[in-house]
Amino acid sequence: MRACYLRPLHAAAVLLTVLLGGWGIAAQAQTASNAQHPDPWPRELHIDGATMTVYEPQVDSWDGGFLKFRAAVALKPDGSKDEIFGVIRASAHTLVNKSTRMVSLFNFSLLHVNFPTLPVHGKSYSAAVAKALPATTQQISLDRLQAFLSVEKVTAKTVEVKNEPPQIIISYKPAVLVPVHGDPVLRAIPGGPYQRVVNTGALILYDATGHIYLHLYDGWMLAYALGGPWEVAAEPPAAINQIAAELSKKGLVDLLEGGGKGQPKPSLRRSPPEVFVSTTPTELIVFKGEPWFEPVAGTDLLWVPNSSTDVIMDTDNNDYYILISGRWFHAPKLSGPWTFVKSSDLPADFRQIPANGHAAPVLTAVAGTPQAKEAVIANSVPQTAVVPRRGGPEYKPTIDGTPQFRPVEGTPLQYVWNSPDAIIMVSPSSFYALRSGVWFTATSLAGPWTIATYVPDVIYTIPPSSPLHYVTYVDIYWVSPESVQIGYTPGYMGTVVTTDGTVVYGTGYDYTAWVGDVYYPPPPTYGYAVYPAFDVAEGAMFGYEMGFATDYFLAPAPVWGPVYYGYYGDYWGYHGGYYPYGPYYGYNTNHPCCYYNTGYENVYGHYGNTTYNGYHDYGYNPYTGTSGEKSEYNTYNSRTGTSSTIHSYNGSNAYTGNEAAGYNRQFHNSETGTSGDVDRNAAYNPETGNFARGGSASASNPNGSSADVQHTSTGNVYSGSSAGETTATVTNGKTGQTNTYGAAHNGNDVYAGSDGNVYRNDGSGWQKNTGSGWESAGSSANTSDLDRFSQARSYGSNRYNSFSSRGFYGGGGGGGGGFRRFSR
């Protein structure tokens, strides 16, 4: 059997697979490390009669589930010193993992092969290329694909959202917002004199004497009217602690204790916050004292750094602008009145906000900026998964009492109002339900329910005025007898693209909640301190994050269910230290902590053979410019018996632009005894354009077989130059023989032209390959097309330097700082 040698070999993962295949380690190494690996280009492998180099694919079209691409390739026939260049066109289905930011390709089709200087354009190589293509391009980073979309005109689904201002509360000291959905609905607690407000996620209890208790942090707040004023309950009845414990254990309430792994936990004994309870859409804006003002370079704007919300003043008229759920509101003073302003109607200076300054995150909400366009692209890319049709997820409706059907506005559909799921009746004999991003179908409400292989088009006409609009962002991309490929764009999590060309959170409609024996809240827009999840290193938005959500958010369901509440706001910690917006999330962070990111979250992690759990922390320090993340996951594959632990970090500094990232995965297979370790790291300097990457992998089994792989590469994103080397040392446990292998690769600067020719840019202009060498492309080449692809490849390479798995920056070039956090 001929070995298939890849350079740079999908880094260490594929090399381990190739070199250890004969000794029983291959499957474990591939299983444990293929899912997350570096994405270097070009890639080289041996086919029948030649060595083939495949350069980074160029996207012709991609809808998130199906990709058409072209790529420049070079063949070096065995025994020859010369390369023959050509172009291939192919298609493949795609699986997108937005948590790891990698895209897997499968079901390849080779559409066209063209080597202009070979007889019949190289058709004799078609079969070998088609056979080798899946191994060469089985994964590519999402950042690279999105970079190609960034230079194309992306047509995104837009929504006519509502933009009526919510009630806006201003606080100059620590404060808590607790939303109640409409007038309080009381339900008696069995066996006592207490009633609970059921149409909120918080625990609010009424007693028979008019006392109202709210559980907060490590104790209780007391008021005599829901609107307050609230004070710390000095001697709360012992019975309500028992009620709190029982309801919390059942998952019916959120005790607002303050999540996260950090210390210290918030305490009413140290510094009780001001409490606001709202029964209408409300947003709480918290300042640490009176607002501070910081000039925004190159503009007449002032940015307020000591607020939990993005607040900007325009000194031309001293108007205030605040960003809430992706929407801009302005007023002549902080007390209002507030009015909505279209993103495209903002003062011109908003578009001049520096991309590396403190106020940079708001650029994603400023129409016409590159950051806003990037946000639209990111919001258009789905998270996908392949779900088995047999042995996969099952569905049984959850309904509070007798089903109550309501019409879906603007459609012939009806839905079950008193269910936490979207259960839709298309006709009396056709039902569809959506849970955790998976469509199910049945001929009756009673079932049996099976995984759907088709969703009627009428469902995708559900308007934003319906609380079920979010289902229109979940699609079925591909079906086989064994499985279904499904996916959702962030609209399923609540983020939508407006007709103004920006991404906002929520449709703005104040939907009616179901309140029966239980409470099923509808999708919200306000009350959650939602702000852009902005990566300052990349100048891009990756969804929206929420202030102080809880583990209730983390169920595999849209972010509003089953329990939600507003954020905590400021908090002054112990020992005299100031912890803005929550001590257990670190300090000096601009925003309150976040548990949930609409752009990263993957609700499909519990399907299939592999399960995972873990957490993901995100942070940004506006004072130092430091941004970073860290992740830790544990995975287990029930089919192979492989378990692994994954650690990753990533960090940058908005002011210097320096970036660094790293990744480690340790794995073990309990059935074969094979163990291993995969590492990778990278650094990038935007001033020089220089980058460096390194990676290593090792594996061993009880039979004495082992492999160790090292990979390094360096380059410059501005010149397009790159070079690298891969070495591997392999020991055969049966023979005791040890061998060392080596490989090198050069730059990723060769492109497939739309005319079927191959081009490169040596810095002085575009050149075309003629078969006998390179010559000036001249005026006949479509250089504008090539320029766009070159720009996209450079941008994608720059973004990829942060690596597919974002992570925390633990020091070095970026420095310390506080962090937003979301945990899973």
Side-chain angles (χ1 to χ4, degrees):
M1 180 178 69
R2 182 188 292 268
C4 180
Y5 297 97
L6 275 78
R7 275 194 324 240
L9 310 165
H10 288 231
V14 174
L15 210 160
L16 279 173
T17 302
V18 171
L19 298 178
L20 302 184
W23 304 313
I25 300 181
Q28 321 324 329
Q30 185 176 30
T31 299
S33 56
N34 249 11
Q36 299 228 22
H37 56 65
D39 185 40
W41 294 91
R43 300 177 181 176
E44 185 176 297
L45 72 160
H46 197 88
I47 63 175
D48 291 340
T51 297
M52 182 174 74
T53 300
V54 180
Y55 291 86
E56 183 180 336
Q58 298 159 226
V59 176
D60 287 325
S61 65
W62 186 41
D63 65 0
F66 188 71
L67 173 71
K68 286 187 176 181
F69 65 92
R70 61 181 124 145
V73 296
L75 289 178
K76 182 184 289 185
D78 292 345
S80 173
K81 296 181 179 180
D82 298 322
E83 289 185 309
I84 303 168
F85 287 87
V87 173
I88 62 172
R89 292 182 182 269
S91 66
H93 286 89
T94 57
L95 277 175
V96 182
N97 190 326
K98 298 182 86 170
S99 298
T100 64
R101 300 198 66 75
M102 293 300 291
V103 180
S104 299
L105 279 62
F106 65 103
N107 286 350
F108 282 87
S109 294
L110 182 63
L111 306 176
H112 183 68
V113 174
N114 180 37
F115 290 88
T117 61
L118 290 180
V120 294
H121 296 276
K123 300 300 182 187
S124 60
Y125 285 104
S126 294
V129 171
K131 183 178 180 180
L133 189 62
T136 313
T137 56
Q138 63 181 346
Q139 279 197 327
I140 187 170
S141 78
L142 176 58
D143 293 306
R144 294 192 192 276
L145 292 183
Q146 284 190 194
F148 277 102
L149 296 180
S150 70
V151 300
E152 301 292 337
K153 184 176 172 128
V154 176
T155 302
K157 173 183 177 180
T158 60
V159 175
E160 288 279 0
V161 299
K162 294 189 72 174
N163 299 301
E164 296 176 5
Q167 178 188 4
I168 295 175
I169 299 173
I170 304 294
S171 178
Y172 300 101
K173 59 183 181 180
V176 174
L177 174 64
V178 180
V180 176
H181 203 103
D183 293 335
V185 177
L186 301 179
R187 294 285 186 268
I189 301 291
Y194 298 99
Q195 297 183 88
R196 177 170 72 93
V197 178
V198 294
N199 53 327
T200 180
L203 178 54
I204 303 176
L205 297 174
Y206 284 62
D207 72 7
T209 63
H211 294 78
I212 306 174
Y213 295 95
L214 164 69
H215 193 282
L216 179 64
Y217 298 169
D218 56 353
W220 294 88
M221 301 293 290
L222 171 67
Y224 298 93
L226 193 62
W230 292 84
E231 61 184 29
V232 176
E235 296 182 358
I240 64 176
N241 288 317
Q242 181 64 31
I243 292 172
E246 292 177 358
L247 293 175
S248 177
K249 184 177 180 180
K250 294 177 181 178
L252 296 177
V253 297
D254 183 341
L255 298 181
L256 309 186
E257 294 174 319
K261 297 185 177 183
Q263 296 290 339
K265 300 293 185 184
S267 173
L268 295 181
R269 292 188 298 272
R270 288 193 290 267
S271 181
E274 188 172 7
V275 174
F276 298 96
V277 178
S278 67
T279 58
T280 59
T282 303
E283 200 73 35
L284 173 64
I285 312 298
V286 179
F287 296 89
K288 180 194 174 185
E290 291 298 320
W292 309 338
F293 294 98
E294 176 181 297
V296 178
T299 74
D300 292 330
L301 305 176
L302 298 175
W303 181 70
V304 179
N306 65 321
S307 172
S308 62
T309 303
D310 291 301
V311 181
I312 292 177
M313 175 186 280
D314 182 3
T315 58
D316 284 346
N317 52 22
N318 289 338
D319 274 1
Y320 286 91
Y321 291 80
I322 58 174
L323 184 63
I324 299 176
S325 297
R327 297 161 170 84
W328 289 101
F329 300 93
H330 75 104
K333 50 187 177 180
L334 286 174
S335 59
W338 294 95
T339 58
F340 169 73
V341 55
K342 291 180 62 176
S343 179
S344 56
D345 292 338
L346 290 167
D349 270 0
F350 275 71
R351 292 166 184 78
Q352 306 305 317
I353 293 174
N356 61 350
H358 291 166
V362 307
L363 288 169
T364 61
V366 179
T369 64
Q371 291 80 7
K373 180 178 179 180
E374 177 66 31
V376 171
I377 292 172
N379 205 70
S380 303
V381 175
Q383 167 70 56
T384 58
V386 172
V387 176
R389 297 174 64 177
R390 297 173 184 82
E394 298 179 351
Y395 181 74
K396 182 179 180 180
T398 299
I399 300 174
D400 183 24
T402 302
Q404 296 195 25
F405 286 92
R406 276 195 164 190
V408 177
E409 180 181 335
T411 76
L413 305 170
Q414 296 187 63
Y415 74 100
V416 178
W417 182 29
N418 54 333
S419 173
D421 303 323
I423 305 177
I424 301 169
M425 184 173 71
V426 178
S427 72
S429 60
S430 179
F431 289 80
Y432 285 82
L434 182 65
R435 178 182 288 174
S436 301
V438 179
W439 280 107
F440 299 86
T441 187
T443 56
S444 71
L445 189 58
W449 291 84
T450 59
I451 293 175
T453 59
Y454 164 79
V455 179
D457 290 342
V458 66
I459 286 180
Y460 293 99
T461 67
I462 296 176
S465 57
S466 168
L468 266 59
H469 177 70
Y470 70 91
V471 308
T472 66
Y473 297 91
V474 184
D475 285 291
I476 295 175
Y477 291 96
W478 174 77
V479 175
S480 76
E482 295 79 25
S483 58
V484 175
Q485 183 191 0
I486 53 178
Y488 61 88
T489 56
Y492 176 56
M493 298 295 187
T495 57
V496 298
V497 180
T498 70
T499 55
D500 210 21
T502 58
V503 178
V504 300
Y505 182 81
T507 64
Y509 285 85
D510 185 18
Y511 304 116
T512 303
W514 167 260
V515 184
D517 290 335
V518 293
Y519 165 53
Y520 297 141
T525 295
Y526 303 113
Y528 303 89
V530 175
Y531 56 88
F534 183 78
D535 189 323
V536 293
E538 308 204 13
M541 188 180 84
F542 296 96
Y544 274 91
E545 299 188 317
M546 292 185 177
F548 295 106
T550 71
D551 285 345
Y552 289 101
F553 283 125
L554 307 180
V559 296
W560 51 87
V563 179
Y564 64 98
Y565 62 92
Y567 65 93
Y568 295 146
D570 286 80
Y571 181 85
W572 275 264
Y574 69 123
H575 300 313
Y578 170 60
Y579 296 88
Y581 326 122
Y584 42 95
Y585 303 109
Y587 56 90
N588 287 343
T589 177
N590 182 42
H591 287 284
C593 165
C594 167
Y595 278 100
Y596 207 98
N597 182 310
T598 61
Y600 278 131
E601 190 62 20
N602 179 1
V603 304
Y604 297 134
H606 59 297
Y607 293 142
N609 296 311
T610 302
T611 59
Y612 67 75
N613 63 78
Y615 71 88
H616 186 115
D617 289 357
Y618 174 86
Y620 172 54
N621 183 338
Y623 302 101
T624 66
T626 301
S627 173
E629 297 180 74
K630 66 178 178 180
S631 301
E632 179 177 326
Y633 293 94
N634 298 302
T635 70
Y636 176 70
N637 188 304
S638 59
R639 180 177 60 84
T640 65
T642 301
S643 60
S644 63
T645 300
I646 303 166
H647 302 269
S648 68
Y649 69 87
N650 169 270
S652 65
N653 188 290
Y655 309 137
T656 66
N658 292 331
E659 303 173 43
Y663 165 87
N664 171 264
R665 183 171 189 162
Q666 298 174 334
F667 60 91
H668 175 73
N669 188 297
S670 58
E671 297 181 4
T672 65
T674 299
S675 299
D677 184 276
V678 179
D679 285 284
R680 70 187 192 201
N681 53 73
Y684 172 65
N685 185 315
E687 292 187 6
T688 64
N690 293 328
F691 67 85
R693 301 190 187 109
S696 65
S698 61
S700 62
N701 66 19
N703 299 325
S705 296
S706 64
D708 181 81
V709 184
Q710 304 290 329
H711 171 77
T712 60
S713 62
T714 59
N716 187 286
V717 299
Y718 302 137
S719 66
S721 63
S722 65
E725 183 177 13
T726 302
T727 60
T729 301
V730 181
T731 298
N732 187 325
K734 295 181 179 179
T735 65
Q737 183 178 2
T738 298
N739 292 300
T740 299
Y741 302 83
H745 64 277
N746 294 311
N748 186 32
D749 57 351
V750 180
Y751 297 82
S754 57
D755 58 0
N757 290 304
V758 177
Y759 296 87
R760 73 177 186 185
N761 194 321
D762 65 353
S764 61
W766 286 101
Q767 296 179 327
K768 181 173 73 172
N769 186 269
T770 63
S772 58
W774 297 91
E775 64 179 31
S776 175
S779 59
S780 61
N782 185 355
T783 56
S784 62
D785 187 53
L786 294 170
D787 286 339
R788 287 188 301 107
F789 279 120
S790 177
Q791 175 190 350
R793 186 174 292 180
S794 177
Y795 178 46
S797 179
N798 183 7
R799 284 184 50 167
Y800 179 70
N801 284 328
S802 293
F803 276 125
S804 54
S805 293
R806 311 295 180 203
F808 171 83
Y809 186 39
F819 299 93
R820 304 169 184 161
R821 167 176 297 178
F822 94 90
S823 299
R824 177 159 48 225

